[in-house]
Amino acid sequence: MNNSCYLGIDVGSISTNCVIITPEGEVLFEIYKRGEGNPIKSVQQCLAQLTEKLPDRFSIKGVCTTGSGRILAGAVVGADVIKNEISAHARAAIQLYPAVRTICEIGGQDSKVTILRDGAIVDFSMNLVCAAGTGSFLDSQARRLNITIEELSSRAMMSENPTNIAGRCTVFAESDMIHKQQLGHEQKDITMGLCNALVRNYLSNVCNGKEIKPPIVFQGGVSANKGICRAFKDALQCDIIIPPYNMVMGAYGAAIIASTSCIEKTKFRGKEVSAHHIITKGFECGDCPNYCEIIEVLDEDELIGRTGGRCGKWEGRTEPREALKGTGPRGSVMEHQTCRQVGNVPDLIQIGVSKKYRLSDK
Amino acid sequence: MIMIKRLHKSVGVYIDMGNQFLKNISPEWMWKSGHYSGSSLRIGIPRMFFYYIYPDLWETFFGELGMEPVVSRPSTRKTVEKASQISETEHCLPNKLFDAHLAEVVGKVDMVFVPRVLSTIKNHLSCPKFGPLPDAARADIARGTEVLSIDIDENKRPLSKTLLLLGKKLNIQKSKTLSAIKSAFIAMESANKKMVLLNKKKGKPRFLLVGHPYVIHDNFIAGPILSKLESMGVEVELISFADDTPAKSYILWSTANKIYHKLNTLSSEDYDGVIQLTVFNCGCDSMMIDTYRQLVKDKNVPYMYLMVDEHLAQSGIDTRVEAFIDSLRWRG
């Protein structure tokens, strides 16, 4: 019996998820953990749980990290592959439903739509600067209603006559919701109205101009919310598929990517990392006028990785700081200089014009 | 075009009739010039808008005239921080950055140069935001500093005539201005050629990056995207605005017209993908993006647009660019 397995870690804005699969793609187990804003700790706790659950005969042959904290997590656990979450989610959906043509993914801070044709991504879109069409919108409204997010989900399912709530912006939604509360609308109708508002916002902002064609797979943390699923079905007028590992699809996709990327020897630093004392330290690069904040990840005293920086010269490098510093920014941003830049010019002491260019009366 | 201008603190209100010559303006200026000692007149050029529309033109022109051109440094995080303090919140990001660039040169130069760019191609229009720039500069950020301005309006007169007028305005001999114009045009031509390609190495995939010249060449807006693409081994061609003959189309905006024309004549053999770079509240782009998308889709070339705002995190850009390149690999 083959005892190798692959680990996928998805470090998102709200949750940290782990999935372990066999080389055949079968899920051994999954962990969904809502993080407390400390991605390193969350990853370590996930690894600790993993140590408890995973029988000793299994050995991890490859690790892939994804999500917005993928680089930091990759440094902590020693990832073989670091993959963006759009590809990871798509990989997972294709694994389960090869015919999928649309993937809707709503997470804590991000919402995305991925359009696939014949098993390949042809188009995708991600929410822009605002988190209005994402899980954090529901979170803040649930807090406002003084109910948990699970209650919000179950109450929305009971609604028969959903209230119409403006969903363009969380601030507007909140004032509209209070107004509706004052008018005496029932709470279950308001919660369903919120779900409808989120979906409407998602469809008009993120899916704008995209061809949403079934089969549609709906995944990400928000897909656990029954009210949202119902709102989706109403809005799209077709059935949507909620995959079995809907909450951890990113990590599942990452694990599949790890298992298919022919890793000979894994860089995985071992499950013991969960007990290590890992800290981060920031410093300002200063090699160019961007003054990027670079974060160094330290395991005890050993440097295990760096994140941050716009030019990418620090990313993932573990050389001593002195070896990289002073080399100037990497990459070539358009620079064609034929005169002095303001930085080299001393402050003006006296305003004036030379005699040669004096603005004479003649 | 009449606007009210305040000259230094003590002189009071003066009415500038558009192309009024500087020699007529200020007795104080004359008085000051008599007290002058040392090097040539310093002229400040903010590194935004017209700096990228006419690359290398202004430095060369003013340099040849014997002035010392001083350009603000490429935009960085610090520029954006400065911009958020001094600029209007409703402006688009380049306009905010313009204000910060202007503030950077003010106080270090004798005179700042802010032309009124109305039209850069005959029968086409520029973004209406360019119109009030000199007045806004005089009224607010460059207050107390001389603002040298000229109308750049191709519908009225070609650029060379505009520069000639600028020389006249500065009271410089015509022959000297003419030779300065000549070398400025040569410099602009060679700069335009340099601005097109990012990665020289012949490789696959090959991308086309489109957007306003001051968006795709700005260090803060496009810098992270360009370096990300470069680190992924992608050959990137930046759209060129050098070709001066506009194609006949219904689009009146000069940059949008050029992008439209480029995308309309695009071939899927030349490019593996098109990336559109836009800033959050650009009115022109929001009108045009769907048209661009449709044009590129008809040619069967993958298209992605990246919208940049002052607080967009690097990870968001990385995710999009990586996923875009992944999707190309999956297509095979």
Side-chain angles (χ1 to χ4, degrees):
Chain A
M1 186 175 169
N2 194 347
N3 283 339
S4 54
C5 63
Y6 293 92
L7 170 65
I9 303 173
D10 179 2
V11 184
S13 51
I14 301 287
S15 68
T16 302
N17 317 323
C18 280
V19 166
I20 290 213
I21 60 163
T22 64
E24 290 76 43
E26 188 192 326
V27 176
L28 288 176
F29 66 83
E30 48 177 280
I31 301 167
Y32 176 89
K33 193 174 179 328
R34 275 182 85 108
E36 287 84 40
N38 187 344
I40 295 179
K41 205 150 246 155
S42 307
V43 170
Q44 286 184 309
Q45 285 168 351
C46 278
L47 282 179
Q49 276 191 35
L50 189 149
T51 324
E52 284 170 21
K53 286 191 189 173
L54 193 70
D56 283 336
R57 62 191 170 87
F58 284 102
S59 69
I60 291 169
K61 292 281 186 231
V63 184
C64 173
T65 57
T66 186
S68 47
R70 58 183 179 273
I71 294 166
L72 185 63
V76 171
V77 298
D80 300 297
V81 190
I82 294 174
K83 204 73 183 168
N84 64 81
E85 57 266 37
I86 295 174
S87 300
H89 275 277
R91 192 69 193 78
I94 289 169
Q95 182 79 13
L96 295 173
Y97 308 98
V100 59
R101 293 207 282 180
T102 308
I103 301 169
C104 295
E105 194 249 313
I106 306 186
Q109 290 283 333
D110 280 335
S111 50
K112 307 172 196 84
V113 62
T114 312
I115 310 292
L116 303 107
R117 297 289 181 265
D118 309 318
I121 301 175
V122 294
D123 201 359
F124 65 86
S125 164
M126 222 167 140
N127 67 325
L128 292 168
V129 286
C130 169
T134 67
S136 64
F137 169 78
L138 277 190
D139 258 351
S140 58
Q141 301 316 319
R143 213 172 304 129
R144 175 88 221 172
L145 288 166
N146 216 0
I147 54 175
T148 63
I149 194 81
E150 290 79 19
E151 281 177 281
L152 189 144
S153 162
S154 56
R155 278 183 207 190
M157 287 310 280
M158 289 188 284
S159 165
E160 280 147 21
N161 183 24
T163 312
N164 194 14
I165 288 174
R168 178 149 293 283
C169 174
T170 316
V171 182
F172 295 154
E174 201 161 300
S175 54
D176 201 27
M177 190 176 79
I178 294 167
H179 175 66
K180 294 283 156 65
Q181 280 176 320
Q182 313 289 37
L183 285 177
H185 287 260
E186 278 183 272
Q187 201 182 45
K188 61 181 185 186
D189 292 338
I190 291 175
T191 51
M192 191 60 215
L194 287 172
C195 294
N196 282 333
L198 188 144
V199 168
R200 212 165 46 229
N201 200 321
Y202 173 78
L203 290 176
S204 63
N205 279 350
V206 182
C207 303
N208 184 17
K210 306 269 181 273
E211 278 181 287
I212 310 290
K213 282 188 178 163
I216 302 164
V217 173
F218 179 32
Q219 55 198 41
V222 175
S223 64
N225 191 311
K226 300 246 166 30
I228 298 286
C229 300
R230 180 182 157 188
F232 255 115
K233 275 177 203 160
D234 292 349
L236 293 171
Q237 296 290 323
C238 68
D239 212 29
I240 55 166
I241 304 165
I242 313 289
Y245 317 110
N246 61 339
M247 305 279 279
V248 294
M249 283 296 265
Y252 179 51
I256 293 166
I257 287 166
S259 74
T260 51
S261 42
C262 313
I263 301 154
E264 280 175 11
K265 192 179 180 314
T266 180
K267 292 184 216 145
F268 184 48
R269 298 175 64 240
K271 288 174 268 185
E272 310 80 56
V273 173
S274 60
H276 286 197
H277 180 61
I278 294 174
I279 52 162
T280 56
K281 239 192 202 161
F283 72 93
E284 220 171 53
C285 169
D287 280 3
C288 75
N290 269 322
Y291 296 102
C292 298
E293 192 89 31
I294 311 296
I295 306 293
E296 294 188 324
V297 189
L298 300 160
D299 184 350
E300 311 295 340
D301 283 326
E302 186 202 350
L303 181 70
I304 54 173
R306 290 195 183 94
T307 69
R310 286 165 80 98
C311 68
K313 78 168 183 176
W314 296 101
E315 213 110 286
R317 306 279 288 271
T318 51
E319 288 95 330
R321 204 186 289 179
E322 291 71 35
L324 288 169
K325 211 165 165 61
T327 53
R330 218 196 59 182
S332 58
V333 173
M334 210 51 61
E335 202 49 63
H336 41 92
Q337 202 60 57
T338 53
C339 70
R340 283 165 85 178
Q341 290 183 27
V342 74
N344 316 326
V345 177
D347 280 338
L348 201 68
I349 303 157
Q350 195 175 20
I351 295 171
V353 194
S354 77
K355 271 190 183 154
K356 243 172 26 188
Y357 308 109
R358 184 141 96 198
L359 309 159
S360 68
D361 288 325
K362 282 172 193 165
Chain B
M1 199 173 296
I2 297 176
M3 56 247 171
I4 293 170
K5 182 167 93 165
R6 190 175 289 276
L7 268 180
H8 297 107
K9 274 145 211 153
S10 56
V11 180
V13 173
Y14 173 79
I15 295 172
D16 181 2
M17 304 289 290
N19 292 320
Q20 193 86 23
F21 294 162
L22 267 181
K23 60 182 175 184
N24 299 330
I25 51 170
S26 140
E28 192 174 276
W29 183 268
M30 292 306 301
W31 174 74
K32 274 201 173 135
S33 66
H35 284 254
Y36 183 75
S37 63
S39 60
S40 47
L41 178 85
R42 261 190 227 150
I43 184 149
I45 306 167
R47 193 186 286 264
M48 235 313 139
F49 294 143
F50 48 87
Y51 177 85
Y52 291 113
I53 296 171
Y54 301 107
D56 275 10
L57 178 87
W58 306 114
E59 298 106 297
T60 317
F61 180 71
F62 289 120
E64 288 285 313
L65 291 185
M67 298 170 159
E68 191 192 341
V70 175
V71 182
S72 57
R73 281 167 292 187
S75 332
T76 59
R77 198 161 51 110
K78 300 253 147 121
T79 321
V80 179
E81 278 166 23
K82 177 88 183 157
S84 60
Q85 286 164 14
I86 58 170
S87 190
E88 174 69 33
T89 49
E90 293 296 312
H91 281 336
C92 65
L93 182 57
N95 202 337
K96 285 182 195 170
L97 289 173
F98 174 83
D99 283 354
H101 279 289
L102 187 62
E104 196 180 331
V105 289
V106 165
K108 300 221 172 195
V109 291
D110 305 293
M111 194 192 261
V112 288
F113 176 62
V114 185
R116 190 190 311 282
V117 184
L118 297 170
S119 164
T120 57
I121 309 174
K122 201 166 184 188
N123 298 331
H124 288 73
L125 295 171
S126 290
C127 172
K129 285 254 181 197
F130 297 169
L133 286 181
D135 303 324
R138 281 185 189 116
D140 186 14
I141 288 154
R143 198 168 193 157
T145 306
E146 266 305 326
V147 177
L148 177 66
S149 182
I150 188 122
D151 288 6
I152 298 176
D153 189 353
E154 291 279 337
N155 295 327
K156 248 196 239 163
R157 53 171 180 258
L159 183 63
S160 51
K161 287 267 167 58
T162 309
L163 291 178
L164 205 59
L165 196 65
L166 190 62
K168 204 174 170 190
K169 204 170 173 175
L170 289 162
N171 209 16
I172 284 160
Q173 291 164 346
K174 194 172 175 184
S175 59
K176 193 163 187 180
T177 316
L178 280 171
S179 81
I181 293 171
K182 206 173 163 195
S183 36
F185 273 54
I186 291 167
M188 180 161 79
E189 203 175 305
S190 73
N192 264 325
K193 276 189 193 130
K194 271 192 276 173
M195 281 167 82
V196 174
L197 270 184
L198 179 66
N199 273 5
K200 287 264 161 35
K201 61 171 182 249
K202 270 279 168 208
K204 282 256 168 180
R206 185 188 163 93
F207 282 180
L208 176 70
L209 188 78
V210 297
H212 297 292
Y214 48 86
V215 169
I216 57 174
H217 291 294
D218 186 79
N219 182 34
F220 178 81
I221 304 173
I225 294 154
L226 291 177
S227 48
K228 180 75 204 170
L229 286 168
E230 196 186 14
S231 72
M232 296 194 76
V234 176
E235 193 191 344
V236 185
E237 185 186 320
L238 284 82
I239 189 169
S240 167
F241 293 90
D243 177 24
D244 222 19
T245 45
K248 278 206 164 48
S249 83
Y250 64 96
I251 298 151
L252 275 178
W253 285 308
S254 43
T255 36
N257 183 53
K258 281 204 172 159
I259 296 171
Y260 181 90
H261 182 63
K262 177 83 187 174
L263 296 182
N264 204 9
T265 53
L266 195 78
S267 135
S268 61
E269 278 147 32
D270 293 344
Y271 302 103
D272 298 293
V274 175
I275 297 180
Q276 160 95 39
L277 201 54
T278 171
V279 286
F280 177 55
N281 44 2
C282 178
C284 165
D285 280 354
S286 63
M287 291 279 289
M288 293 305 300
I289 269 178
D290 276 329
T291 315
Y292 297 155
R293 197 204 324 254
Q294 202 55 47
L295 271 182
V296 180
K297 202 179 167 190
D298 292 346
K299 307 259 184 263
N300 202 19
V301 178
Y303 174 86
M304 169 176 73
Y305 79 88
L306 284 172
M307 197 176 267
V308 180
D309 198 18
E310 55 204 281
H311 51 267
L312 185 71
Q314 173 80 36
S315 66
I317 292 168
D318 288 356
T319 303
R320 285 168 173 87
V321 172
E322 281 172 24
F324 188 58
I325 291 170
D326 271 2
S327 76
L328 297 183
R329 299 226 166 100
W330 282 18
R331 280 185 177 197

